[in-house]
Amino acid sequence: MTIECGTERIAGCQFNLSVMSDDFINIILGSLDTTDMSKVWRDTDDVTTCVRGRVEHVFDVVKAVYLHAAKTGKHVEMSGTFSIGCPGDASGDTYMDTDAERMNAANTIGINQKAGCKFALYPMNTTKYMDVIYEQIDLSKARGVTVSPSHYSTRLDGEVNDIFNAMEEAFVSVQEAVSHTTMTFTISANSPSSRK
Amino acid sequence: MTIECGTERIAGCQFNLSVMSDDFINIILGSLDTTDMSKVWRDTDDVTTCVRGRVEHVFDVVKAVYLHAAKTGKHVEMSGTFSIGCPGDASGDTYMDTDAERMNAANTIGINQKAGCKFALYPMNTTKYMDVIYEQIDLSKARGVTVSPSHYSTRLDGEVNDIFNAMEEAFVSVQEAVSHTTMTFTISANSPSSRK
């Protein structure tokens, strides 16, 4: 396998959204419906939602889904895996032929919502993966978030918009250096534990 | 970095448990309290719970936490990452000096609970990671579960006990071949979508 840096590759994210409320169905479906998914391929089943397309649109959509659920004030968690360059994820997609304008930016940038998030980057297909992580990720430049270490992950605290921006920058930076990158994350807002 | 196959290494899992009910606090705390965690190191914060120790006890505990929540009949999701051999996860643990008896086996084996689960294995530190996945995982022997492909993952359907057993077998098999392995999963039970 050759590393084709600079080639635009399809990105994706498989995630699940959990709303800790008896009203979870309306909030989850409302959040998915409110989000503009016109620039991504999308599939939802009983376990996860998967979106695929250009990397900026994948992040735009996942962030919007989370914000529209979290802004209800309910305790909302999302876990997922971003992926780019997966050898098993090659064909059948027309969603790369689109421009870079983020469809959900205008509707989400004004939403103020604090959260805590743990994420981990996995550069695949390399024996220098720890070097890649250390060299490519510079979270000191991440604006608006507090960064702290956690087991198997890095923790970010701050506004949801800033957290997703920091994760996107780290993901894009790492994927430029390796052929296949995945990134896991779990983000939590309005937890009774964090209200203390 | 050398691969030390055969050396017993500390395993861990960082997971979040989501209960889609107004009663989520009682169910989550009850599930964590009902699970015997005496053979694992454990840390819970507002985003995740992390358990670490011998691989069989890590799986025993995570499965028990999920089952005790899911048996309430509420829509319960868990996402997490199992890890073994992480270079950043080396010291300070006495939980490896214990026997193999699973503390939660007796209290969970009789719980019948259907679920759907998506999981993905990431053998790190190798350029042959796809070969490792194809060679080491033989889900055709997994008893009691239906196996199907999904984007970025493999889907398992069946009893929760059988699903976790299948994931444990796959994880243990892969970690014998590489120095650092992670495995992500999302499991969902009692979803209104799957009751159709």
Side-chain angles (χ1 to χ4, degrees), chain A residues 21-34:
Chain A
S21 159
D22 288 348
D23 197 30
F24 70 93
I25 297 175
N26 288 330
I27 294 172
I28 292 174
L29 295 182
S31 174
L32 292 169
D33 287 347
T34 306

Side-chain angles (χ1 to χ4, degrees), chain B residues 93-124:
Chain B
D93 291 280
T94 57
Y95 289 88
M96 300 302 284
D97 277 337
T98 183
D99 63 32
E101 187 196 350
R102 300 184 188 222
M103 302 306 287
N104 297 282
N107 285 333
T108 55
I109 196 149
I111 302 176
N112 294 314
Q113 175 66 57
K114 297 278 187 196
C117 180
K118 296 184 182 182
F119 81 103
L121 268 153
Y122 299 107
M124 304 304 294

Side-chain angles (χ1 to χ4, degrees), chain A residues 174-188:
Chain A
V174 167
Q175 65 92 27
E176 286 171 354
V178 291
S179 64
H180 177 196
T181 301
T182 67
M183 182 174 76
T184 61
F185 73 100
T186 296
I187 186 168
S188 172

Side-chain angles (χ1 to χ4, degrees), chain A residues 125-179:
Chain A
N125 200 33
T126 171
T127 55
K128 299 192 191 314
Y129 69 109
M130 295 302 286
D131 297 335
V132 170
I133 290 173
Y134 293 132
E135 286 167 12
Q136 297 296 122
I137 306 178
D138 182 4
L139 288 167
S140 66
K141 294 177 187 165
R143 276 167 295 188
V145 295
T146 305
V147 182
S148 55
S150 180
H151 273 287
Y152 310 123
S153 60
T154 298
R155 178 165 179 147
L156 304 174
D157 285 275
E159 286 291 328
V160 171
N161 273 300
D162 295 330
I163 288 170
F164 274 95
N165 289 347
M167 286 200 291
E168 181 176 346
E169 282 175 22
F171 182 76
V172 167
S173 179
V174 167
Q175 65 92 27
E176 286 171 354
V178 291
S179 64

Side-chain angles (χ1 to χ4, degrees), chain B residues 24-100:
Chain B
F24 71 93
I25 298 175
N26 289 329
I27 295 172
I28 292 173
L29 294 182
S31 175
L32 292 169
D33 286 346
T34 306
T35 301
D36 186 330
M37 301 208 195
S38 59
K39 288 187 177 172
V40 295
W41 177 95
R42 177 258 184 103
D43 182 51
T44 296
D45 63 25
D46 58 315
V47 180
T48 57
T49 289
C50 183
V51 293
R52 292 156 70 232
R54 287 175 59 147
V55 64
E56 62 266 40
H57 298 315
V58 170
F59 274 90
D60 176 63
V61 162
V62 176
K63 181 174 72 174
V65 169
Y66 187 71
L67 274 171
H68 289 311
K71 73 183 182 187
T72 63
K74 299 296 183 186
H75 180 22
V76 175
E77 287 210 47
M78 179 188 271
S79 291
T81 302
F82 289 92
S83 177
I84 192 165
C86 178
D89 189 33
S91 61
D93 291 280
T94 57
Y95 289 88
M96 300 302 284
D97 277 337
T98 183
D99 63 32

Side-chain angles (χ1 to χ4, degrees), chain A residues 5-134:
Chain A
C5 297
T7 307
E8 198 166 36
R9 297 169 295 176
I10 189 165
C13 183
Q14 182 143 231
F15 63 89
N16 74 291
L17 177 67
S18 297
V19 178
M20 305 208 210
S21 159
D22 288 348
D23 197 30
F24 70 93
I25 297 175
N26 288 330
I27 294 172
I28 292 174
L29 295 182
S31 174
L32 292 169
D33 287 347
T34 306
T35 301
D36 186 330
M37 302 209 194
S38 60
K39 287 186 177 173
V40 295
W41 177 95
R42 177 260 185 106
D43 181 52
T44 297
D45 62 26
D46 58 315
V47 181
T48 57
T49 289
C50 184
V51 293
R52 291 156 69 231
R54 288 175 59 147
V55 64
E56 63 266 42
H57 297 315
V58 170
F59 274 90
D60 176 64
V61 162
V62 175
K63 181 174 72 173
V65 169
Y66 187 71
L67 275 171
H68 290 310
K71 73 184 181 186
T72 63
K74 300 295 183 184
H75 179 22
V76 176
E77 285 210 48
M78 178 188 273
S79 290
T81 302
F82 288 92
S83 178
I84 193 163
C86 178
D89 189 35
S91 61
D93 292 281
T94 56
Y95 290 88
M96 300 302 285
D97 279 337
T98 183
D99 63 32
E101 188 196 349
R102 299 183 189 222
M103 303 306 286
N104 296 284
N107 286 333
T108 54
I109 198 151
I111 302 176
N112 295 315
Q113 175 66 56
K114 297 279 186 198
C117 180
K118 295 184 182 182
F119 81 104
L121 268 152
Y122 299 107
M124 305 303 296
N125 200 33
T126 171
T127 55
K128 299 192 191 314
Y129 69 109
M130 295 302 286
D131 297 335
V132 170
I133 290 173
Y134 293 132

